[in-house]
Amino acid sequence: MYIEAVPNRNSPPSVLLRETFRQDGKICKRTLCNLSHWPTAHIEGLRGVLKGGTVIPAGRDAFSVIRSLPHGHVAAAVATARRIGLEGILGPDGNRCRDLTLAMLVSRILDPVSKLATARGLSPATASSSLGEALGLGDVDDDELYAALDWLLVRQPAIEATLAKRHLTNGTLVLYDVSSSYMEGRCCPLAKRGYSRDGKKGTLQIVYGLLCAPDGCPVAIEVFDGNTGDPSTLAPQIEKLKQRFHLEHVVLVGDRGMITQARITEDIKAAGLDWITALRAPAIKELLNSGALQLTLFDQRDMASITSPDFPGERLIVCRNPDLAAERTRKREELLAATEKDLVGIKAAVGRKRNPLHGTAKIALKVGSVLNTYKMKKHFDLEITDDAFSFARKTAAITAEAASDGIYVVRTSLAEDKFDNAATVRSYKSLSLVERGFRCIKTVDLHVRPVHHWLADRVRAHVFLCMMAYYLEWHMRQRLAPMLFDDTDKEAAEAQRSSVVAQAKRSKTAVRKQTTGLTEDGLPVHSFHTLLADLATLARNTITTAITPHHPLTVLTRPTPIQQKAFDLLGVRL
């Protein structure tokens, strides 16, 4: 039997219950009942029964949702990991440590918490999402996660070599920069006092260096003692590129505090590599004093290539950014004014009649505190005696310094026929991609800190885990860029710039997304974090019915247009 809608010429279709039978070798059909007067819901219910379904009695207990777990963000991250072959990069199939490692790095993107909290969120009884079930992990405890971290650290050289083979080639640019993170506790042997980039003075910290491909994709990371200077981290990276990654020649791009003259002479040249970096302020001052750099070069241009006997075999590309010059001038004037205001207060305290500030040591202590706050000592002449204090600006020195505002010099060993001036400056500025990686790893998404591990190898494994999480996030961001505030039309944005030295501008597409809050197809624009939160509202529901209480069903929430768009961009099929 079946239900058939028979069209009528001047009235709605007739809904008939029919059956088929064979008579004299022919297939015939007959109408058993006219259901046109039935409600649509009753007709569909009968249609389901005829197809082999079961009628569920009406009532509040017909369906029961016994568990509902956030699933959309899990599906997006896990599917992307499998799409880029991340499981194979981590290790062979059938290895539980591999599966636990994948779960930890996905958890780092979805909800960066401690290993104990991660274990609870993965176990079926205390799951905070569908991740544990999606990877088939079963019960998980924190000891297993620590064992997986130890396994990951052993695998780190092989994993980084695989990433390098995938993203680096001979002759390519390699971006390298260093950052630091403060530590919890005092027991880790790597934790030392050093220059804190987190603004946490007096705390123990670790230092780590990140190697990236030219597009900013992370390739390798290494952890150092917290008191390690930036230049000291360079030699291990060169050895890694040459020995472990088997790259005969690359162009190393690093900032002026990283690639110093000593490192160029002793490490980079000795390894047969090229470099792109920049000069520090004292070296630029020497160029100005020697006459090798003439400021009149920038009367009608913002970039010029020069040579100097102090840098044999190198090309110096001098750039002047008017916007940067104006900002430095403004900042200097504000600092000078703030310093003068506090010095005037000290001068008044020295000259007051009642309880004056007297004594050379006492006055100098107050003055030193002010100068240390604003770092303007070089711009003031001071005169301190037991009962007098005076100061004056060094006008000539301030004017001389202001003349070089906005000037920076990029230095490279590459010949101009291989890499022109604009390409060289653009490559140096691409270090911002590494800085973006540090922001994601440290604060925005992955939260490498607080670091609660005490064993040195566990700290190394934790930092490497965060780098691998960023590797997955980087690929997700590339695919989701049309839905994010990211600029998807960078070539057009670059074409808007008058020069590579000028301030970078966002394309019209990116500005439109930012001002309207909508994508080109009319959907709300998201940050990566808020888009993951939106995807998490797509739930994986476990349902039982009144007639099958012991046979639960799994039903996913229907995707919203935003979620479906994200899944389409990521290539995810629910």
Side-chain angles (χ1 to χ4, degrees):
M1 289 187 292
Y2 63 95
I3 296 175
E4 182 179 6
V6 179
N8 295 320
R9 178 172 296 180
N10 297 319
S11 59
S14 299
V15 182
L16 306 177
L17 177 62
R18 290 182 165 179
E19 69 172 351
T20 58
F21 60 94
R22 186 177 295 275
Q23 184 175 359
D24 299 331
K26 295 182 179 181
I27 298 177
C28 303
K29 61 183 178 179
R30 61 171 172 244
T31 300
L32 301 178
C33 182
N34 189 335
L35 307 177
S36 301
H37 61 287
W38 278 26
T40 302
H42 291 180
I43 295 173
E44 294 303 319
L46 180 58
R47 194 191 302 274
V49 170
L50 294 176
K51 291 182 177 180
T54 304
V55 176
I56 298 176
R60 57 186 297 180
D61 298 327
F63 292 92
S64 297
V65 180
I66 61 175
R67 192 99 188 256
S68 184
L69 292 173
H71 176 70
H73 58 336
V74 172
V78 172
T80 304
R82 288 171 174 164
R83 193 177 190 87
I84 64 177
L86 188 55
E87 287 179 314
I89 293 174
L90 291 176
D93 293 337
N95 188 309
R96 181 164 174 80
C97 284
R98 193 278 304 269
D99 296 337
L100 290 172
T101 299
L102 179 61
M104 283 192 289
L105 68 88
V106 171
S107 295
R108 208 76 213 167
I109 296 175
L110 307 184
D111 185 21
V113 292
S114 67
K115 303 301 182 294
L116 177 60
T118 300
R120 290 173 179 170
L122 293 173
S123 298
T126 55
S128 57
S129 72
S130 63
L131 178 57
E133 189 173 353
L135 297 178
L137 298 179
D139 290 327
V140 178
D141 61 52
D142 52 323
D143 287 337
E144 283 189 296
L145 297 186
Y146 291 134
L149 276 179
D150 297 337
W151 174 87
L152 177 64
L153 186 64
V154 174
R155 290 277 306 157
Q156 180 174 354
I159 293 171
E160 290 180 340
T162 302
L163 295 180
K165 186 176 181 180
R166 177 182 288 194
H167 297 285
L168 300 178
T169 58
N170 274 313
T172 189
L173 295 176
V174 177
L175 312 180
Y176 179 65
D177 205 354
V178 165
S179 189
S180 62
S181 289
Y182 61 88
M183 299 285 288
E184 303 292 337
R186 299 179 176 275
C187 298
C188 179
L190 294 173
K192 299 286 193 305
R193 296 184 186 274
Y195 171 64
S196 176
R197 295 165 179 83
D198 300 328
K200 296 281 188 178
K201 295 183 179 180
T203 59
L204 300 180
Q205 65 172 22
I206 56 172
V207 170
Y208 42 88
L210 180 63
L211 280 173
C212 291
D215 54 7
C217 182
V219 172
I221 198 166
E222 187 166 351
V223 180
F224 303 92
D225 289 347
N227 58 359
T228 305
D230 292 3
S232 302
T233 68
L234 195 60
Q237 309 312 312
I238 295 174
E239 182 180 0
K240 185 183 300 183
L241 291 167
K242 298 283 288 186
Q243 303 300 324
R244 193 192 303 172
F245 300 163
H246 305 292
L247 295 170
E248 295 298 325
H249 176 260
V250 296
V251 181
L252 201 59
V253 184
D255 65 24
R256 65 196 75 191
M258 176 81 61
I259 303 181
T260 61
Q261 185 61 51
R263 299 284 64 79
I264 290 175
T265 304
E266 298 175 15
D267 298 327
I268 301 179
K269 283 185 177 180
L273 305 183
D274 285 305
W275 66 89
I276 297 176
T277 185
L279 293 183
R280 306 182 74 170
I284 296 176
K285 186 176 181 180
E286 286 296 324
L287 289 177
L288 288 168
N289 293 337
S290 66
L293 172 57
Q294 300 289 334
L295 294 179
T296 54
L297 286 171
F298 304 101
D299 290 343
Q300 296 181 344
R301 69 177 78 181
D302 58 7
M303 182 170 62
S305 179
I306 65 172
T307 57
S308 170
D310 295 332
F311 303 95
E314 294 187 43
R315 186 160 46 101
L316 305 179
I317 305 164
V318 188
C319 306
R320 186 178 190 277
N321 187 329
D323 296 327
L324 179 61
E327 174 61 20
R328 287 184 176 175
T329 301
R330 180 197 65 79
K331 186 175 181 179
R332 183 192 302 105
E333 185 56 38
E334 287 185 355
L335 291 173
L336 287 170
T339 304
E340 281 183 326
K341 181 179 178 181
D342 288 353
L343 292 180
V344 166
I346 296 174
K347 184 176 182 180
V350 172
R352 66 194 173 201
K353 295 183 179 179
R354 184 176 180 181
N355 191 24
L357 177 65
H358 280 181
T360 303
K362 291 183 178 180
I363 298 174
L365 190 63
K366 291 281 188 181
V367 172
S369 176
V370 171
L371 297 177
N372 187 56
T373 299
Y374 299 109
K375 313 297 183 186
M376 289 284 110
K377 180 180 179 180
K378 62 182 178 180
H379 292 317
F380 284 94
D381 282 322
L382 306 172
E383 187 174 345
I384 303 174
T385 63
D386 280 341
D387 55 1
F389 167 60
S390 63
F391 65 91
R393 287 191 184 189
K394 295 180 180 179
T395 308
I398 294 173
T399 303
E401 183 179 270
S404 61
D405 280 348
I407 296 286
Y408 59 94
V409 181
V410 177
R411 63 184 294 196
T412 181
S413 59
L414 295 170
E416 189 170 1
D417 57 349
K418 293 182 179 179
F419 234 55
D420 63 21
N421 293 343
T424 304
V425 174
R426 189 178 296 110
S427 298
Y428 180 73
K429 289 187 172 185
S430 66
L431 283 173
S432 62
L433 298 175
V434 189
E435 295 171 359
R436 182 181 303 173
F438 282 135
R439 284 197 300 273
C440 289
I441 291 174
K442 294 174 64 173
T443 57
V444 179
D445 298 316
L446 306 177
H447 299 283
V448 68
R449 59 182 188 233
V451 183
H452 293 290
H453 301 286
W454 290 355
L455 299 178
D457 283 349
R458 290 274 172 82
V459 171
R460 292 188 178 98
H462 170 72
V463 173
F464 182 56
L465 179 78
C466 291
M467 191 216 82
M468 292 304 297
Y470 178 61
Y471 180 80
L472 174 57
E473 178 183 325
W474 186 89
H475 282 85
M476 293 181 70
R477 283 179 174 271
Q478 298 301 303
R479 293 178 176 271
L480 293 172
M483 299 185 68
L484 306 177
F485 286 101
D486 296 8
D487 195 342
T488 57
D489 196 4
K490 293 182 179 179
E491 292 184 1
E494 190 66 25
Q496 296 177 25
R497 300 172 68 180
S498 58
S499 166
V500 70
V501 179
Q503 183 179 5
K505 295 182 179 180
R506 293 171 65 82
S507 67
K508 293 181 179 179
T509 302
V511 172
R512 190 182 307 113
K513 285 197 298 184
Q514 186 171 358
T515 53
T516 64
L518 299 174
T519 63
E520 292 183 354
D521 46 8
L523 296 175
V525 185
H526 279 276
S527 68
F528 183 75
H529 182 73
T530 60
L531 183 56
L532 284 183
D534 187 283
L535 291 175
T537 62
L538 188 150
R540 190 178 190 274
N541 305 293
T542 304
I543 298 175
T544 60
T545 66
I547 62 174
T548 59
H550 304 297
H551 299 281
L553 307 173
T554 299
V555 179
L556 298 181
T557 309
R558 182 175 298 176
T560 65
I562 295 174
Q563 294 167 346
Q564 190 59 56
K565 176 69 173 180
F567 291 142
D568 291 343
L569 291 173
L570 293 172
V572 176
R573 295 183 63 184
L574 294 175

